[in-house]
Amino acid sequence: MDGFERVFAAGKPVIGMVHIGALPGAPLHDSAGGMEGLVEAARADLRALTAAGFDAVMFGNENDRPYEFDVDSASIAGMAHIIGRLRDDITVPFGVNVLWDPMATIALGAATGAAFVREIFTGQYASDMGSWTPDAGQAMRYRSRLGRSDMLMLYNISAEFAHSLDTRPLAERARSVVFSSIPDAVLVSGPMTGEAAPLETLRSVKAALPGIPVMANTGVRHETVGDVLDVADGCIVGSALKAGGDTWNPVDPERAHDFMARAKEARK
């Protein structure tokens, strides 16, 4: 909890997503726009989130569909280049997430000076991308070798686009993960990007982990943020802030301002 409070001074932080466009080598990459197009699109989203008052931002490669477990080094280099170009615009704590590669996420976070990382670090899943078995021990030791033990690790324990092969209730799995893996926070997700987990699921995980930050990871919307923050210790939001509520659109400054206004009211 100490590390979480050190990074996120605001009670119940709200983290806004900067969804970087498809990177070179990814099927959806816009070769005409190139890296400059990716930088400027990310800059616009970052500035909109900052102006709206978000407590932190996170850079992710959601557009690199279909996702990989062993991410191409060109994608990691591309994300590092983009974040480096934006450093003068980053005025709040930031994190990174390279889908779905824990080692790449740790490497990118260490290289860019990220305050936190998010990833699926534990569990075993049958997923759209195939059999999925991340290794938290390897990732955490890699963080130590890179000299970034201060970089928070946010554990998403309910993977999107996947079905857990662990049949224990999520709350029980959460308690086990905290005992065995020492996460800085536990994240609860819905079945897909932009889709929420049931509030009762979030409530059950928080009840099982009274001393560990538990955050809603997907599907938080303007009309639900108050209820979510009544239960959770913060949230991560992306799709609800986009033009038309569409994950793949740019951040809409008005939607971002409205969301944070509701979040701040809820936090009172």
Side-chain angles (χ1 to χ4, degrees), residues 58-79:
M58 179 157 52
F59 297 93
N61 63 329
E62 268 81 358
N63 284 280
D64 280 359
R65 297 166 284 156
Y67 304 122
E68 299 177 296
F69 296 138
D70 185 11
V71 171
D72 189 331
S73 55
S75 297
I76 307 168
M79 291 183 73

PDB file of all heavy atoms in Angstrom, residues 58-79:
ATOM      1  N   MET A  58      -1.751   5.890 -18.750  1.00  0.00           N
ATOM      2  CA  MET A  58      -1.061   4.655 -19.094  1.00  0.00           C
ATOM      3  C   MET A  58      -1.025   4.493 -20.613  1.00  0.00           C
ATOM      4  O   MET A  58      -2.041   4.678 -21.283  1.00  0.00           O
ATOM      5  CB  MET A  58      -1.737   3.440 -18.451  1.00  0.00           C
ATOM      6  CG  MET A  58      -1.055   2.126 -18.796  1.00  0.00           C
ATOM      7  SD  MET A  58      -1.370   0.820 -17.590  1.00  0.00           S
ATOM      8  CE  MET A  58      -3.152   0.842 -17.496  1.00  0.00           C
ATOM      9  N   PHE A  59       0.156   4.150 -21.121  1.00  0.00           N
ATOM     10  CA  PHE A  59       0.344   3.933 -22.548  1.00  0.00           C
ATOM     11  C   PHE A  59       0.230   2.441 -22.844  1.00  0.00           C
ATOM     12  O   PHE A  59       0.909   1.616 -22.223  1.00  0.00           O
ATOM     13  CB  PHE A  59       1.720   4.432 -22.989  1.00  0.00           C
ATOM     14  CG  PHE A  59       1.920   5.911 -22.806  1.00  0.00           C
ATOM     15  CD1 PHE A  59       2.492   6.402 -21.634  1.00  0.00           C
ATOM     16  CD2 PHE A  59       1.522   6.806 -23.784  1.00  0.00           C
ATOM     17  CE1 PHE A  59       2.669   7.771 -21.458  1.00  0.00           C
ATOM     18  CE2 PHE A  59       1.689   8.170 -23.610  1.00  0.00           C
ATOM     19  CZ  PHE A  59       2.270   8.659 -22.451  1.00  0.00           C
ATOM     20  N   GLY A  60      -0.647   2.098 -23.796  1.00  0.00           N
ATOM     21  CA  GLY A  60      -0.829   0.706 -24.160  1.00  0.00           C
ATOM     22  C   GLY A  60      -0.905   0.529 -25.663  1.00  0.00           C
ATOM     23  O   GLY A  60      -1.207   1.469 -26.398  1.00  0.00           O
ATOM     24  N   ASN A  61      -0.633  -0.686 -26.109  1.00  0.00           N
ATOM     25  CA  ASN A  61      -0.638  -0.990 -27.549  1.00  0.00           C
ATOM     26  C   ASN A  61      -1.893  -1.773 -27.946  1.00  0.00           C
ATOM     27  O   ASN A  61      -1.821  -2.769 -28.670  1.00  0.00           O
ATOM     28  CB  ASN A  61       0.622  -1.763 -27.937  1.00  0.00           C
ATOM     29  CG  ASN A  61       0.724  -3.124 -27.265  1.00  0.00           C
ATOM     30  OD1 ASN A  61       0.243  -3.305 -26.142  1.00  0.00           O
ATOM     31  ND2 ASN A  61       1.348  -4.080 -27.926  1.00  0.00           N
ATOM     32  N   GLU A  62      -3.047  -1.293 -27.475  1.00  0.00           N
ATOM     33  CA  GLU A  62      -4.313  -1.991 -27.755  1.00  0.00           C
ATOM     34  C   GLU A  62      -4.586  -2.183 -29.240  1.00  0.00           C
ATOM     35  O   GLU A  62      -5.341  -3.076 -29.625  1.00  0.00           O
ATOM     36  CB  GLU A  62      -5.478  -1.229 -27.112  1.00  0.00           C
ATOM     37  CG  GLU A  62      -5.831  -1.688 -25.711  1.00  0.00           C
ATOM     38  CD  GLU A  62      -4.920  -1.111 -24.651  1.00  0.00           C
ATOM     39  OE1 GLU A  62      -3.979  -0.366 -24.983  1.00  0.00           O
ATOM     40  OE2 GLU A  62      -5.134  -1.424 -23.469  1.00  0.00           O
ATOM     41  N   ASN A  63      -4.001  -1.339 -30.074  1.00  0.00           N
ATOM     42  CA  ASN A  63      -4.262  -1.445 -31.514  1.00  0.00           C
ATOM     43  C   ASN A  63      -3.408  -2.497 -32.217  1.00  0.00           C
ATOM     44  O   ASN A  63      -3.592  -2.729 -33.420  1.00  0.00           O
ATOM     45  CB  ASN A  63      -4.037  -0.083 -32.173  1.00  0.00           C
ATOM     46  CG  ASN A  63      -5.169   0.878 -31.898  1.00  0.00           C
ATOM     47  OD1 ASN A  63      -6.216   0.828 -32.523  1.00  0.00           O
ATOM     48  ND2 ASN A  63      -4.963   1.776 -30.937  1.00  0.00           N
ATOM     49  N   ASP A  64      -2.501  -3.128 -31.506  1.00  0.00           N
ATOM     50  CA  ASP A  64      -1.635  -4.136 -32.127  1.00  0.00           C
ATOM     51  C   ASP A  64      -2.318  -5.498 -32.195  1.00  0.00           C
ATOM     52  O   ASP A  64      -1.772  -6.514 -31.774  1.00  0.00           O
ATOM     53  CB  ASP A  64      -0.316  -4.250 -31.359  1.00  0.00           C
ATOM     54  CG  ASP A  64       0.658  -3.156 -31.715  1.00  0.00           C
ATOM     55  OD1 ASP A  64       0.335  -2.314 -32.567  1.00  0.00           O
ATOM     56  OD2 ASP A  64       1.754  -3.123 -31.120  1.00  0.00           O
ATOM     57  N   ARG A  65      -3.524  -5.502 -32.726  1.00  0.00           N
ATOM     58  CA  ARG A  65      -4.271  -6.753 -32.867  1.00  0.00           C
ATOM     59  C   ARG A  65      -3.832  -7.498 -34.123  1.00  0.00           C
ATOM     60  O   ARG A  65      -3.541  -6.860 -35.127  1.00  0.00           O
ATOM     61  CB  ARG A  65      -5.772  -6.453 -32.928  1.00  0.00           C
ATOM     62  CG  ARG A  65      -6.324  -5.811 -31.684  1.00  0.00           C
ATOM     63  CD  ARG A  65      -7.721  -5.238 -31.919  1.00  0.00           C
ATOM     64  NE  ARG A  65      -7.674  -3.990 -32.681  1.00  0.00           N
ATOM     65  CZ  ARG A  65      -8.673  -3.519 -33.407  1.00  0.00           C
ATOM     66  NH1 ARG A  65      -9.800  -4.196 -33.507  1.00  0.00           N
ATOM     67  NH2 ARG A  65      -8.560  -2.379 -34.051  1.00  0.00           N
ATOM     68  N   PRO A  66      -3.846  -8.844 -34.115  1.00  0.00           N
ATOM     69  CA  PRO A  66      -4.043  -9.744 -32.968  1.00  0.00           C
ATOM     70  C   PRO A  66      -2.845  -9.687 -32.033  1.00  0.00           C
ATOM     71  O   PRO A  66      -1.713  -9.504 -32.456  1.00  0.00           O
ATOM     72  CB  PRO A  66      -4.205 -11.111 -33.616  1.00  0.00           C
ATOM     73  CG  PRO A  66      -3.479 -11.002 -34.918  1.00  0.00           C
ATOM     74  CD  PRO A  66      -3.656  -9.585 -35.375  1.00  0.00           C
ATOM     75  N   TYR A  67      -3.130  -9.838 -30.731  1.00  0.00           N
ATOM     76  CA  TYR A  67      -2.099  -9.673 -29.724  1.00  0.00           C
ATOM     77  C   TYR A  67      -1.135 -10.859 -29.690  1.00  0.00           C
ATOM     78  O   TYR A  67      -1.430 -11.942 -30.184  1.00  0.00           O
ATOM     79  CB  TYR A  67      -2.750  -9.475 -28.352  1.00  0.00           C
ATOM     80  CG  TYR A  67      -3.709  -8.316 -28.315  1.00  0.00           C
ATOM     81  CD1 TYR A  67      -5.047  -8.494 -27.958  1.00  0.00           C
ATOM     82  CD2 TYR A  67      -3.290  -7.032 -28.657  1.00  0.00           C
ATOM     83  CE1 TYR A  67      -5.928  -7.417 -27.929  1.00  0.00           C
ATOM     84  CE2 TYR A  67      -4.157  -5.956 -28.632  1.00  0.00           C
ATOM     85  CZ  TYR A  67      -5.485  -6.155 -28.271  1.00  0.00           C
ATOM     86  OH  TYR A  67      -6.350  -5.096 -28.246  1.00  0.00           O
ATOM     87  N   GLU A  68       0.030 -10.604 -29.072  1.00  0.00           N
ATOM     88  CA  GLU A  68       1.088 -11.608 -29.011  1.00  0.00           C
ATOM     89  C   GLU A  68       1.512 -11.839 -27.565  1.00  0.00           C
ATOM     90  O   GLU A  68       1.415 -10.947 -26.728  1.00  0.00           O
ATOM     91  CB  GLU A  68       2.316 -11.136 -29.802  1.00  0.00           C
ATOM     92  CG  GLU A  68       2.063 -10.894 -31.279  1.00  0.00           C
ATOM     93  CD  GLU A  68       3.309 -10.356 -31.966  1.00  0.00           C
ATOM     94  OE1 GLU A  68       3.755  -9.243 -31.625  1.00  0.00           O
ATOM     95  OE2 GLU A  68       3.839 -11.066 -32.845  1.00  0.00           O
ATOM     96  N   PHE A  69       2.027 -13.023 -27.287  1.00  0.00           N
ATOM     97  CA  PHE A  69       2.600 -13.321 -25.984  1.00  0.00           C
ATOM     98  C   PHE A  69       4.094 -13.004 -25.945  1.00  0.00           C
ATOM     99  O   PHE A  69       4.667 -12.775 -24.887  1.00  0.00           O
ATOM    100  CB  PHE A  69       2.397 -14.786 -25.602  1.00  0.00           C
ATOM    101  CG  PHE A  69       0.953 -15.173 -25.444  1.00  0.00           C
ATOM    102  CD1 PHE A  69       0.493 -16.383 -25.941  1.00  0.00           C
ATOM    103  CD2 PHE A  69       0.058 -14.342 -24.800  1.00  0.00           C
ATOM    104  CE1 PHE A  69      -0.842 -16.754 -25.792  1.00  0.00           C
ATOM    105  CE2 PHE A  69      -1.275 -14.707 -24.645  1.00  0.00           C
ATOM    106  CZ  PHE A  69      -1.725 -15.906 -25.150  1.00  0.00           C
ATOM    107  N   ASP A  70       4.725 -13.041 -27.103  1.00  0.00           N
ATOM    108  CA  ASP A  70       6.151 -12.717 -27.235  1.00  0.00           C
ATOM    109  C   ASP A  70       6.238 -11.570 -28.229  1.00  0.00           C
ATOM    110  O   ASP A  70       6.362 -11.772 -29.430  1.00  0.00           O
ATOM    111  CB  ASP A  70       6.927 -13.939 -27.715  1.00  0.00           C
ATOM    112  CG  ASP A  70       8.432 -13.703 -27.749  1.00  0.00           C
ATOM    113  OD1 ASP A  70       8.882 -12.668 -27.209  1.00  0.00           O
ATOM    114  OD2 ASP A  70       9.153 -14.541 -28.330  1.00  0.00           O
ATOM    115  N   VAL A  71       6.159 -10.343 -27.716  1.00  0.00           N
ATOM    116  CA  VAL A  71       5.979  -9.168 -28.571  1.00  0.00           C
ATOM    117  C   VAL A  71       7.240  -8.852 -29.364  1.00  0.00           C
ATOM    118  O   VAL A  71       8.366  -8.930 -28.849  1.00  0.00           O
ATOM    119  CB  VAL A  71       5.561  -7.955 -27.709  1.00  0.00           C
ATOM    120  CG1 VAL A  71       5.567  -6.673 -28.516  1.00  0.00           C
ATOM    121  CG2 VAL A  71       4.168  -8.199 -27.125  1.00  0.00           C
ATOM    122  N   ASP A  72       7.035  -8.498 -30.616  1.00  0.00           N
ATOM    123  CA  ASP A  72       8.123  -8.109 -31.514  1.00  0.00           C
ATOM    124  C   ASP A  72       8.907  -6.950 -30.893  1.00  0.00           C
ATOM    125  O   ASP A  72       8.326  -5.983 -30.402  1.00  0.00           O
ATOM    126  CB  ASP A  72       7.511  -7.672 -32.850  1.00  0.00           C
ATOM    127  CG  ASP A  72       8.540  -7.457 -33.948  1.00  0.00           C
ATOM    128  OD1 ASP A  72       9.695  -7.107 -33.637  1.00  0.00           O
ATOM    129  OD2 ASP A  72       8.179  -7.613 -35.122  1.00  0.00           O
ATOM    130  N   SER A  73      10.230  -7.039 -30.939  1.00  0.00           N
ATOM    131  CA  SER A  73      11.051  -5.977 -30.363  1.00  0.00           C
ATOM    132  C   SER A  73      10.812  -4.635 -31.050  1.00  0.00           C
ATOM    133  O   SER A  73      11.006  -3.575 -30.439  1.00  0.00           O
ATOM    134  CB  SER A  73      12.535  -6.346 -30.431  1.00  0.00           C
ATOM    135  OG  SER A  73      12.922  -6.649 -31.758  1.00  0.00           O
ATOM    136  N   ALA A  74      10.358  -4.649 -32.306  1.00  0.00           N
ATOM    137  CA  ALA A  74      10.045  -3.395 -32.994  1.00  0.00           C
ATOM    138  C   ALA A  74       8.891  -2.671 -32.316  1.00  0.00           C
ATOM    139  O   ALA A  74       8.861  -1.437 -32.265  1.00  0.00           O
ATOM    140  CB  ALA A  74       9.711  -3.662 -34.464  1.00  0.00           C
ATOM    141  N   SER A  75       7.941  -3.419 -31.769  1.00  0.00           N
ATOM    142  CA  SER A  75       6.815  -2.806 -31.063  1.00  0.00           C
ATOM    143  C   SER A  75       7.282  -2.144 -29.773  1.00  0.00           C
ATOM    144  O   SER A  75       6.860  -1.031 -29.437  1.00  0.00           O
ATOM    145  CB  SER A  75       5.748  -3.855 -30.746  1.00  0.00           C
ATOM    146  OG  SER A  75       5.212  -4.404 -31.932  1.00  0.00           O
ATOM    147  N   ILE A  76       8.157  -2.819 -29.053  1.00  0.00           N
ATOM    148  CA  ILE A  76       8.681  -2.247 -27.809  1.00  0.00           C
ATOM    149  C   ILE A  76       9.481  -0.985 -28.117  1.00  0.00           C
ATOM    150  O   ILE A  76       9.335   0.044 -27.453  1.00  0.00           O
ATOM    151  CB  ILE A  76       9.555  -3.279 -27.071  1.00  0.00           C
ATOM    152  CG1 ILE A  76       8.794  -4.592 -26.883  1.00  0.00           C
ATOM    153  CG2 ILE A  76      10.007  -2.738 -25.722  1.00  0.00           C
ATOM    154  CD1 ILE A  76       9.664  -5.743 -26.432  1.00  0.00           C
ATOM    155  N   ALA A  77      10.322  -1.054 -29.151  1.00  0.00           N
ATOM    156  CA  ALA A  77      11.125   0.107 -29.528  1.00  0.00           C
ATOM    157  C   ALA A  77      10.229   1.260 -29.979  1.00  0.00           C
ATOM    158  O   ALA A  77      10.481   2.425 -29.651  1.00  0.00           O
ATOM    159  CB  ALA A  77      12.095  -0.276 -30.641  1.00  0.00           C
ATOM    160  N   GLY A  78       9.173   0.931 -30.715  1.00  0.00           N
ATOM    161  CA  GLY A  78       8.249   1.964 -31.178  1.00  0.00           C
ATOM    162  C   GLY A  78       7.553   2.660 -30.025  1.00  0.00           C
ATOM    163  O   GLY A  78       7.436   3.891 -30.005  1.00  0.00           O
ATOM    164  N   MET A  79       7.092   1.878 -29.039  1.00  0.00           N
ATOM    165  CA  MET A  79       6.446   2.483 -27.879  1.00  0.00           C
ATOM    166  C   MET A  79       7.421   3.349 -27.094  1.00  0.00           C
ATOM    167  O   MET A  79       7.080   4.448 -26.635  1.00  0.00           O
ATOM    168  CB  MET A  79       5.843   1.397 -26.977  1.00  0.00           C
ATOM    169  CG  MET A  79       4.647   0.693 -27.588  1.00  0.00           C
ATOM    170  SD  MET A  79       3.902  -0.523 -26.459  1.00  0.00           S
ATOM    171  CE  MET A  79       3.083   0.564 -25.276  1.00  0.00           C
TER     172      MET A  79
END
